[in-house]
Amino acid sequence: MISVVVPVHDVAAYLPACLDSVLAQSHRALEVVVVDDGSTDGSGAVADAYAEQDARVRVVHQANQGLGAARNAGLAHATGALLAFADSDDVVPPDAYATMLEALRRDDSDLVTGSVARWEDGRLTEPPWMRRLHRERRALGIAELPELMGDLFAWNKLWSRAFWDTAGLTWPEGVRYEDQPTLTRAYLAARRISVLPEVVYHWRIRTDGSSITQQRSSLADLTDRWSTKRDSLRSVEQWAAGAPAATGGEVVDVMRDRVLAGDLHRYFTEIPGCDDAWWELLRSGVLSLWGAGAPGGRGPTSLTASGLPPVHRLTGWLVEQGRREDAAAVMAWMAEHPGPAPRTSGPDGARLALPGLDPASLDPAAVALRAHEV
């Protein structure tokens, strides 16, 4: 049986679609544990109505404690040998659990992860990075595909409950972005991971300002983001200490270079108009992970060496250097001019050439374009 944990807080408008999709799964042996985390909009009553209509639904009501605590409460009530998570404003395609279960049994895996489609403005779109990352791979260890740690979603996966408990996994409480530390530890602990190309989850993109990912300009959000990044990196460094040096170093490098750096562009877009405290927190966090002497691995000591796109590598370097006005100008210019940034060629190769920036004041590495970017 698969236990599906659904944390709920003030999502009455979305919850029926979520629960309908879970209950309509082609795999029928389900236990759906809905955790009403102190909802004030009638979400709890919606969940109770579903429980009255379908014996597979159980509802837990509790005072509001946050997403991590709600998931942990659901786990405490889940009895299935397999685990899945679904956020209450999203939708699960009909064959998702059956597809993942087949792979888990076939490969004797500890967890299975599938691809995701963004559900926005009535359209479903599979992000290119998800499509690339989720080419079918059977029974791999994380050292074979360390970039998989960038798939840090709880809800596009099926888990063995025995593995979950043996690995001592739990969700951090009282902090945003709780998925990343737990997913990182899971990837590192798993003997076998199955990766599927099938889209197994429809992720609703809300534009009403209520979702956590729309609150990046707040100090609380950025504080939590740095906290979960550092927590995840520590887990990888501890794992690497017990691995062969070359393997451990490579995994740490990928973690810092690609996984941890991967979402920084979303914060860089907040630089124009940010307040002093937010800017200082952004810069201190960047320096702690990518500044000169940043600990661990063999990876970059500047975001100029990271896997970010060219404009964001430049912006990251400007952040490192404390050049707030220039960083804000770059982001403001790019917001007004969508598309590839201006570039030029010279004896040293192709480089960015953004208006208003004196090339003589820039580290050549901050504006250099790589061969595949020209």
Side-chain angles (χ1 to χ4, degrees):
M1 182 172 68
I2 300 174
S3 293
V4 184
V5 175
V6 184
V8 171
H9 179 72
D10 288 352
V11 286
Y14 305 111
L15 183 56
C18 175
L19 294 180
D20 286 343
S21 73
V22 172
L23 295 171
Q25 291 293 300
S26 58
H27 179 83
R28 302 296 295 170
L30 298 174
E31 171 189 62
V32 184
V33 182
V34 181
V35 181
D36 171 26
D37 188 42
S39 295
T40 61
D41 70 341
S43 295
V46 172
D48 288 338
Y50 272 83
E52 292 177 3
Q53 298 166 7
D54 194 318
R56 295 177 296 171
V57 180
R58 301 167 57 196
V59 183
V60 178
H61 297 279
Q62 65 178 31
N64 179 246
Q65 300 177 50
L67 179 58
R71 285 179 179 164
N72 289 335
L75 284 167
H77 289 82
T79 62
L82 301 163
L83 290 172
F85 299 89
D87 281 359
S88 49
D89 52 354
D90 298 330
V91 164
V92 185
D95 295 323
Y97 296 149
T99 299
M100 290 191 285
L101 178 58
E102 179 183 5
L104 186 141
R105 289 172 170 169
R106 177 196 68 206
D107 300 337
D108 186 28
S109 291
D110 293 320
L111 67 97
V112 179
T113 181
S115 192
V116 170
R118 290 168 59 98
W119 182 16
E120 189 170 14
D121 297 328
R123 294 177 297 173
L124 291 171
T125 306
E126 184 182 12
W129 71 270
M130 261 281 171
R131 187 182 307 113
R132 175 180 54 79
L133 196 58
H134 285 79
R135 295 193 300 271
E136 184 170 17
R137 297 174 174 92
R138 295 187 175 187
L140 58 79
I142 197 58
E144 299 171 64
L145 187 65
E147 197 174 352
L148 187 61
M149 291 186 292
D151 170 8
L152 40 77
F153 304 120
W155 23 250
N156 59 328
K157 296 171 178 62
L158 185 68
W159 312 72
S160 158
R161 179 63 187 259
F163 163 69
W164 181 279
D165 291 342
T166 300
L169 298 175
T170 187
W171 300 104
E173 300 185 9
V175 64
R176 298 170 175 86
Y177 306 109
E178 58 281 293
D179 286 15
Q180 185 165 28
T182 298
L183 265 295
T184 300
R185 286 191 282 272
Y187 286 133
L188 297 170
R191 300 168 303 119
R192 300 183 184 91
I193 305 165
S194 294
V195 181
L196 303 179
E198 289 87 356
V199 171
V200 299
Y201 199 80
H202 294 168
W203 175 22
R204 187 193 300 268
I205 307 302
R206 290 157 59 179
T207 58
D208 59 2
S210 61
S211 69
I212 290 173
T213 52
Q214 294 176 57
Q215 300 169 23
R216 294 188 180 93
S217 61
S218 72
L219 278 173
D221 180 283
L222 186 53
T223 297
D224 287 349
R225 200 68 193 96
W226 289 135
S227 175
T228 53
K229 284 181 185 293
R230 293 188 185 104
D231 187 350
S232 301
L233 181 59
R234 279 195 297 270
S235 294
V236 175
E237 290 171 341
Q238 290 167 4
W239 175 90
T247 298
E250 180 183 359
V251 174
V252 172
D253 289 350
V254 170
M255 183 63 173
R256 183 189 285 112
D257 173 38
R258 296 191 175 274
V259 175
L260 296 183
D263 69 343
L264 288 182
H265 66 283
R266 303 182 187 279
Y267 290 90
F268 292 165
T269 60
E270 303 292 337
I271 295 174
C274 73
D275 62 31
D276 293 347
W278 192 92
W279 164 259
E280 291 300 331
L281 181 59
L282 176 70
R283 184 166 185 256
S284 65
V286 166
L287 289 173
S288 74
L289 291 173
W290 293 280
R298 308 160 301 177
T301 55
S302 169
L303 283 168
T304 60
S306 75
L308 287 173
V311 169
H312 299 119
R313 294 198 301 268
L314 168 60
T315 306
W317 181 81
L318 292 169
V319 171
E320 293 170 19
Q321 301 302 307
R323 292 171 59 170
R324 177 177 175 178
E325 290 186 5
D326 286 337
V330 168
M331 288 291 93
W333 194 92
M334 291 302 300
E336 295 174 1
H337 301 83
R343 54 196 64 196
T344 187
S345 295
D348 298 326
R351 59 180 175 80
L352 294 176
L354 285 165
L357 288 181
D358 177 7
S361 74
L362 304 173
D363 183 339
V367 291
L369 296 174
R370 296 163 187 169
H372 68 279
E373 296 168 343
V374 176

